[in-house]
Structure formats: C-alpha cells, structure tokens
Amino acid sequence: MAEPATTRPKWIGQSMKRVEDPRFLRGKGRYIDDIRLPNMAVAAILRSPHAHARIVRIDTSAAERLPGVYAVVTGQDVRARMAPLPTFAVGPIYQDLLAVEKVRHVGEAVAAVVAENRYIAEDACELIEVEYEPLPPVVDPFAAMEPGAPLVHEALGSNVAYQRTFTFGDFDRDFNEADHIVRAKLRWPRSSGMPMETNGAIGDYDEGTGILTIYANSMNFTYFQWLIATSLKIPASKLRVVPINAGGSFGSKFFMHKVPTLAGFLSMVAGRPVKFVEDRIDHILNNDHCGSDRYYDVALAVDRDGTMRALQIKVVDDYGAYLQFGTGTHGNALAQVVGPYRIPSVQYELTAVLTNKNQQGAYRGFGSEVNNWVLERMVDFAARELGLDPVAIRRKNFIRPEQFPYRTPTGNIYDSGNYEGVLDKALALAEYDRWVAERERARQEGRYLGIGIVTAQERSVFSSTEFWFWFDQPGFPVTSSPESATVTIDPTGKFIVTLHSLAFWGNSPETVATQVVAEQFDIDPADVVVTYAASQRALPGTGPGGSRFTVMVTGALVGASGRLKEKIKKIAAHRLEVSPEDLEFHQGSVRVKGSPERALTLSEIALSAYMFKLDLPEDVESGLEASYTFDHPYTTLPSPDRKDLGVFYPFMGHACHIAVVEVDPETGQFTWHKYAAVADAGTVVNPMTLDGHLTGGTAQGLGTALYEEYVYDDRGQMLTASFMDYLVPTAMEVPRIDIDHQETPSPYTPYGIKGAGEGGRMMAPGVITAALEDALAPLGVRITELPITPAKLVRWIAEAKARGQAPTA
Amino acid sequence: MKPPVFDYRAPVSVEETQQALAEYQADGKLLAGGQSLVPMLNMRLARPAVLIDINRVTELAFVRADDGGLTIGALTRQQALLEHPTVQERWPLLAEATRHIGHRTIRNRGTVGGSLAHADPAAELPAVMLALDAVVTVSSTRGERQIPARDFVVDYLTTALEPTELLRSVWVPALPPRTGWAFQEVSRRHGDFALVAVAALVTLDAAGVCTDARLVLTGVGPTPVPVDLRQTLIGAAPSPAAVAAAAEAAQAAVDPPSDVHAPAEYRRHLARVLARRALTTAIERAGGTE
C-alpha cells in the first residue's frame, strides 16, 4: 500500500473539532423521519402477541376498508412475490419479511399496513383479525435441547443449530499438567443497542424505469445491497440505496436489511413512496440485533505461581428464532480468546441453540466483549484461589512487547502491544496505591470499598472469515471486506471526499476523512467536503463494524490520495519543467524541493486539469479524481482441519480499566469513587473523538453490567418492551471517566492506526463486576452473572453470610 | 405508538372544566402535565373518547401558605412546588419527596394534582400527602367536597374521585414544633419509579418523648401503606430498639409485588431498612437523640 506522506503528522493526532457537529448540533442534520417525498405514505406493523403459534387465518378486510388505508400485506403476499431474507446460517433456517406459516417470537412481523399516516396505519393494524393456533413455546435453551422439545424450525429437525468443539494447541497436556483448575459457571444475558433514532427507510418505486430507490439509515448498505435486491426479486442494478444520516447504531443498524426491504416492498405494492420507521417497541421487539445470550462453563488451568496453562470454554448461546449471522459472534470471541495472556492452548465448545425469541445480531463488541468479561472473571477467581494479587497475576502472564507479532493458539495474530505500559499508566491514573490503602481503612471501619481492574483486548478490523470458518465446507466464503474512497479536487482546488459504504451513523467519519486528506495533501481541513455515495455509484465497501472504519477508510483515502498526488505531480512537473520526484506538497501548493518560490497552487493545477487539457502531457486525462479500494491488509485462510483459524482480526488494541466503588450492603446500591481507563489503539487520529467512543462505550458497558436485560417470561412474553422496563443508563448513572492513551502503532496499517470503536463496552462490564465483588470480598460474595442489580447484591450477601455461618462438613 | 382517535376540549376555567366533565362523564379524561397519560395514550392503554386539557385553567396553579397550612393548586407544576421557598422551609419533606419524581424536565410539566389523581402505586406524592395528613378538595357541577388523603387513594390507579369530579387543590396542615422528617427512596436509576420509598415524620415534646410519628411506604403494594407506630415509637423517648421494632412493623405491614426490577423479597427487605433509616433521621432532625 501507499506510504503515508509525512513522517511527523500534522493533522493525524489532533483533537480537531468534529466537522459533523455544526449541522447536527443546530438541528440541520436531516434524519430519515425528516424526509417527506411527494405522495408518500407511512407504514405500521402488526406484530405477533405469541412466542410460538401457527397462523391459521388472517382477515384484512376491515383494515382495508378503513379510510386512509392504501394497502395491507401479509406473509402470503410476501411468499408470492419475494424470496426469504438473507442469512449466513447453514441449514434450513429461513426468515421471511412477514411471518408466513407460523410466528417464532413475540413481536415478529405478521402484517403491514400502508396508510395516509401512522395514526391511521396503527388503527388499521387493530382491525386485522389473525387467528393463531398457539404452539408450546421454546424459551429456555437447555429445555430446547431436550429430546421432544417443540421445534422452532421443523425442517432443521432440532433446536441445536450448531455444535462443535475446537481444540487449539496441546490442550490435554497443558490442562492435565497444571497445578490447579479454576472453574466457574457464568451467565451473560441478552441486551441490545438502543440508539436514540431507530431503524428507518423510505421505499420509492418508479414504475416507469423499474428502479426502486430506498432511503435508509443503514450502516453498510453497499455490502448487502444485492442481498436486498435478491429478496425483492429485482435486479441489483435496479435497486438504488441512498444513505441517510443515522442517529446512532451501536450495531443495531449494522446488518440492517429488513427495514429497507420492507419499505421497498411496500412501495412496490402500494405504488407510492412508503416510509417505515420503527417506534421503540418495534425496535426492542424486533430489531434483529440483540446481543449475545450465553451460558458458560469455564475452566482455567493454572500453576501455583499463577502461570496460566490452558483455557477450556463450553458455551451455550441462545440465538433466538433465527440465525442471520450464523455463529460469527463466537468467531469474534476466538479472535482474542486468550486475552493479553500467554495461554498456550484452548478448547472451545460452542452450542448454538434456537428459541422463540428475537434473533441476535450485532451489538458493540459482537460477542468478544462477553469473552473479555468471562476471561477477566476467571483471572480474578484464579488470583483469589491462589492467594495472588490481581495486578501481579496479570502482569506475570502478559505477552511481552518483544513477542509481537504474537500468534495466539487459535491462529489469529496480535500485531503489536505493550500491555505493562498500559497497566502502569492506568495504575498511576487511577491512583491505585492510594485506593488500596483507602480500602484497608474502609474495611477496618466496616465499609465495603472495592477496587476492580481489567486488562483486556480490543480486536479491530474483521476480515469476515469468522462467519464461515465454523464449517469445513462453507457455503458463503466472504473474505477481505474492503473499503473504498474517492478523492476529488474540483476546478477551484477544493476537495470532495466520497465514502462508499455507509451513512453517517453518529460517529466521526467525516472528521476522520478530513484529517487524513488534510494530512495527505497538507491542506486546510476547511477545504474538504465529505459526501456519501448512493449504491449505484458505490465502490466496494463493508461499512463501519468490528472497529474497522478508521483503519480501512484511512487505507482507502491514502490509496486514492496517492493516485491523485501522482497525477498532480505529473501536471505540475510538466508546467514547472522539473521531474515529479523533485516536487512536494506544501500548504495547498506543489513546490520544487529546495526552491520553494517555484510553486503552483492546487487551484492553479486544478484549473488546468479541468479546462486546459491541451496544455498537459498527452496521457493525462481531464479532471482531478482518484478512487481506491483498500483490501484487508492482513488476513489468511483457516487450515482445513480448523486447528488454525488463520489471521482474521489482527490489529489488536488493548486497555486497562480500573474502578473504585463503595457498596451499601443493606440496599445493594453503590457509589463511584473512581473510574480510570487507559487504551492503546495504536496511532490515535483524533484523541477527542476517541475519548468520546471510550466514554460512550463505557456507559453502554455499564448498562450491560448493571441495568439492561431483555427479559422473557416462561411463556416467551417480552417483559421489557419499553424504556420504562428496559433501563438504559443516563448521564446520572455514568461516573466521570478519567482517560489516557498509550500509542503502540500497528506495523500493518496506514499510520499504525488500530480500531477502537467498541473499547469501552469491552472493558466496563468486567471492571464493574470486579470492583463490586472486591467490595464484598470480606463477605465472600462471588459474582458470576449480569446484570448486577441491587436486589441480587442483597441476595448474594445474604447467601454468602449464610454460607459463612453454616457448619463446615 | 400513536393514540387512537379522541376529541379534544380545552376549558379555561374551573367552571368550564366541571361542565365538560359533567357532559362526558366516564368518556372524558383530564389532561394536566401528561407525563403518565400521554404515554398511556400512545401505547393505547388509555382510550378516552375526549381529552379535557386543563392546562389553560391557570386559576388552579398556585401555592399559598398561612399559619394553618399550605394549599397547593392542582395545576401546580412539581418543579414549582419543590422550588417554593416556603415549602422548602416549612414542609421540607414535601420538597424532598418531590425531588424524587422523575427528572426536572418531567417535573416541569408534571402537576401535583395529576400525580395524586393518577395514583401510581410507586408515586411519591400520594404517600407524602398521607404522611402529612393532607386533605384533597374536589369539585363538580354538583358542588365541592373534601377528602382526607387517607381516604383518597382506594386501589391500584384508583382514587375516590368521581368521573365528573375535578381535583382542585390539596391542603397540608402546618407541622407542630420539634417535628423531624425524612424521605428515603431506592430506585433502579435516578428518576425511576421507587422500588420502595418511605416518608417519616416524628414529633417530640420538650422532654424528648415522641408524641406523634408517621411512617408511610410507597412502591410496596397497590396503594401507599401507613404503618401504625403507637405500639413502637409513640409515647416514649425514641430508642434504637424502638426504631428497630417500628422498622419490623413496617416490613410486616407490606405485601409488595415482584416485577422485572425487583422481587418482593427485596422490597420487603428495603421496607425495613429504609424505615429504620428514615425514622432515625427524622428523630435526629426533631432534636431527639436516638
């Protein structure tokens, strides 16, 4: 790939103000619900009240008669005109846009109404008569695996969608030789991203041209535009997806295909533009992007001195009713399954179970945040059982700086790192020693003050093999997952950057692009405008997921800039009558090295490139534009026996979070004394926006640790379908977070950048759990499940006290 | 999440409001701050035929204090109540409890009368009014009547108001000298409904003997639960043992529900813990040494 232009960056590394802010902070951003097309109708969805039921009959006649209703569609219309929705699942696990023969979870879409407005559409939904034959629901994943359990997908013949044990390294030897085995059963419950703006789309079918335009707030439409077309049974060339600013995603708009497909389908049926925007209940019940829902049985083999020898993980994951991503979220976990530690061997048994719940999708961390929590729990348990200091046991097992690039047992490479450096910075930032002394004083006073520490990984930039290496003969071998950028200089010398994979989603894609282009050309960032290509003009792209955006788009921008700079130099060399190698970019101009007075401004060059072709060398085309598609810079195939999964997530960030809390053991409530976070994401492009990522991710991790849970009762009814019951932390619940960075550049990426979009949520659940457990250590409380509610803390304290008082056998 | 069709009326006086209520009877529903009613409308859990919006009935927005007590107009915003200097000075229990209602943006719209009339089982104001021995004034085209707070909330989301009646104001008597107070609440997040909340008032005489004590819990059942303290606290100088006994009585008096936020067991436990803490604080504030 092209080398970065300068050795000492000017714009990379600056806390430049976000270029997106002026329009969004003034309410001029324009979201999907702000868009009104002429003659546009609005849709609402009738959702299943049953977890599992056969659809016997649907009568839409009363709804169709309601004034203001334009169309009512059901699963039968979908079956007649559409193909099933896209899926990475292997085996007959199909999902239709609207349920056809049966419903498989509460909230599954059964019918859609297109009407003059949402009020009428919801009135009409109430008039649709659906006769259901309730089936026994499958709610508990262990019950789902029992012989004779009702089947979520009859054609599959089982509720176990996937089961396999992977062994990496000489597991049996390491496990059996170790002095001590630490064992725990751990539970991570289902939660989900809750962006302020839900998923939304407008379909606009042009009967004249046969072109369907879909406006959507999806994050990666280029990647799956053709899959939507396939579902709709139209040529991909006649589907144009237009990106619209998204008000947050956190994963929930990642593989967001159902909402755009629905809007497109309804527009084709109704013969007019149709908007569908989820309300909060739609989003919670059926956003298809719930996070992991896992039951762990884990064993960590250690020697008496704390040396970690082997890790055994048996995990049952309750995927819900469909399996759109296959078991990719465990591929993610396997990218960093041993954390920052030298654990030579691993055994990983995965059982993926189907139940009558909304399906899993992407949520910040994509399953690796769960593994971080599990591993850090095991390390803390090991420290306690061996009588070791939690900092010392981590330090002892860290991969050493000289061991990078480090090949982990699964085959994935960690590119670079300095974990002790991060740890020492974090200990200093948190004033760790002072808090240790404070903890002693508190305990003498009968107060419950605790300190938690986690040192964990943040993998970045997936290459997609994690979606298919589960199978020896995969049906869907996606690799690389590139990103593209186009850099255009207009005839006046100003810059236009086109991004190809995404809509703005609440982060800082335009700021990143602006800083990189300003760096490349040594120009004023104010001279850069960033736009988003609609799908018909879009080059290959994947979109922001798996903390890949900054690395990948920088690679694309550096590549496109390199091509464009070459052309500019060619033009300038011709006009200045020097060799291209003698030219350099300097503050909006191109000048001769050593003769700075011999220079042309970019606007002079641009004008000649656009207007005066005949003055240029013969092989120079008019215009100033270059594109580049950046493929994943370091990924390899898995071995056929799957003892080596290959390199699929190599740009390995790292972080240390430290929290200090004090628990009121009578109420189970606690107060924050300290929260400190040090992250190493390689070269930092913009420290301010990275701090924003870290803060928001930590807040979400705090939600997972303490508040958020999708609760289904034993009939599969959803008990947390609104913000009254699904508790997202607010500013009042999030402590001040002290942040520092260490920069250990990646040797494989442009500028040495690593991704860091998911870091906070990967660390916070672990550190909060550890701090609360440490606070209650004098009582003997051991925390093995989330969320940690006050009610549970009070119960665990009572149980620990009862154990302490019980006569020992 | 859009409401079904309803008609809308916006009276500007108490008289017009009463007429509208008389006209629509049970089909009419009063809209004040809307912090509970509007979500219920949007989720189609409430389906009134007519919304009678009383936000223009400004004669109902007032706070007046005299030697005998405090009168609060039904349309008084909760934030206005808690910021009122006289309320903060003379009825700090009321100000403190009101601070626990939602967030400031909610209290800027939510009204005192709305909270009482809605009678959410975890609401603060019905419990505090009960502890303060408040009296609610209601009226209709047929006249006006007073309802003591202890008779006002009759069941889950149900009050003694007739469908044609308007809650006009609530009167809170002045507190005797040497009266200490406390309000304790546990909720999942700041601003959430109480899992359990406790309001306490303790009055001591010159000798330090407890002459009156009130303890009311909310969040523990369909209606606020008053605890009889005659056997435990009243009639003697408060002691830690007496406070513990009163807290036991509080726990015994409640039969709380389980839901996604907390099991009944935890709420029962909190009833005792918060009762003890609230009474201890109230005794200290009354000048007693527990």
Side-chain angles (χ1 to χ4, degrees), chain B residues 124-149:
Chain B
E124 288 82 3
L125 286 179
V128 172
M129 293 303 178
L130 185 51
L132 289 167
D133 239 346
V135 177
V136 175
T137 296
V138 306
S139 71
S140 69
T141 50
R142 295 191 307 278
E144 183 180 296
R145 64 180 179 128
Q146 269 74 41
I147 309 172

Side-chain angles (χ1 to χ4, degrees), chain A residues 118-119 122-123 126 279-281 664 666-667 669 706-707 719 724-725 727-728 733 789-791 794, chain B residues 1-5 43-44 47 186-190 192-193 260-261 263 266 269-270 273-274 276-277:
Chain A
R118 178 90 186 207
Y119 296 84
E122 291 190 21
D123 289 346
E126 291 191 332
D279 63 24
R280 189 57 58 182
I281 294 174
D664 175 345
E666 281 196 319
T667 64
Q669 295 179 298
L706 301 171
Y707 299 106
L719 302 182
M724 187 162 161
D725 292 318
L727 305 183
V728 178
E733 279 70 50
T789 64
V794 165
Chain B
M1 255 196 263
K2 299 289 180 202
V5 172
M43 296 211 227
R44 302 192 171 211
R47 294 168 171 268
V186 168
S187 58
R188 287 292 302 278
R189 295 173 307 182
H190 177 90
D192 280 338
F193 276 113
V260 290
H261 302 304
Y266 176 67
H269 167 86
L270 280 184
V273 171
L274 298 187
R276 193 196 75 228
R277 290 181 179 185

Side-chain angles (χ1 to χ4, degrees), chain B residues 106-268:
Chain B
I106 290 170
R107 296 190 298 265
N108 283 341
R109 289 297 301 165
T111 65
V112 173
S115 175
L116 292 172
H118 182 55
D120 188 282
E124 288 82 3
L125 286 179
V128 172
M129 293 303 178
L130 185 51
L132 289 167
D133 239 346
V135 177
V136 175
T137 296
V138 306
S139 71
S140 69
T141 50
R142 295 191 307 278
E144 183 180 296
R145 64 180 179 128
Q146 269 74 41
I147 309 172
R150 64 179 172 275
D151 298 328
F152 185 70
V153 181
V154 298
D155 203 346
Y156 178 79
L157 299 180
T158 308
T159 68
L161 276 168
E162 297 294 330
T164 55
E165 281 178 327
L166 164 71
L167 195 165
R168 291 180 67 153
S169 64
V170 56
W171 176 79
V172 182
L175 294 170
R178 295 204 69 191
T179 297
W181 63 277
F183 188 84
Q184 291 269 337
E185 175 168 323
V186 168
S187 58
R188 287 292 302 278
R189 295 173 307 182
H190 177 90
D192 280 338
F193 276 113
L195 297 179
V196 177
V198 175
L201 286 167
V202 174
T203 305
L204 304 178
D205 68 11
V209 171
C210 175
T211 55
D212 193 10
R214 320 252 183 83
L215 186 65
V216 180
L217 295 94
T218 186
V220 290
T223 63
V225 175
V227 182
D228 185 345
L229 300 176
R230 282 173 298 188
Q231 304 300 314
T232 51
L233 269 185
I234 298 171
S239 67
V243 169
E248 291 296 334
Q251 184 168 12
V254 300
D255 183 15
S258 286
D259 59 28
V260 290
H261 302 304
E265 191 53 41
Y266 176 67
R267 286 189 163 97
R268 243 191 305 275

Side-chain angles (χ1 to χ4, degrees), chain A residues 19 21 30 50 60 91 115 149 169 173 206 228 273 334 415 427 440 517 551 648 719 782:
Chain A
V19 301
D21 279 346
R30 208 167 81 124
H50 297 282
T60 59
R173 183 200 64 195
D206 182 330
I228 293 179
L334 286 168
D415 58 342
L427 293 173
E440 286 320 300
V517 170
V551 170
F648 60 102
L719 302 182
R782 191 172 190 250

Side-chain angles (χ1 to χ4, degrees), chain A residues 482-495:
Chain A
E483 213 60 63
S484 301
T486 303
V487 180
T488 309
I489 301 177
D490 77 7
T492 71
K494 305 295 186 192
F495 283 68

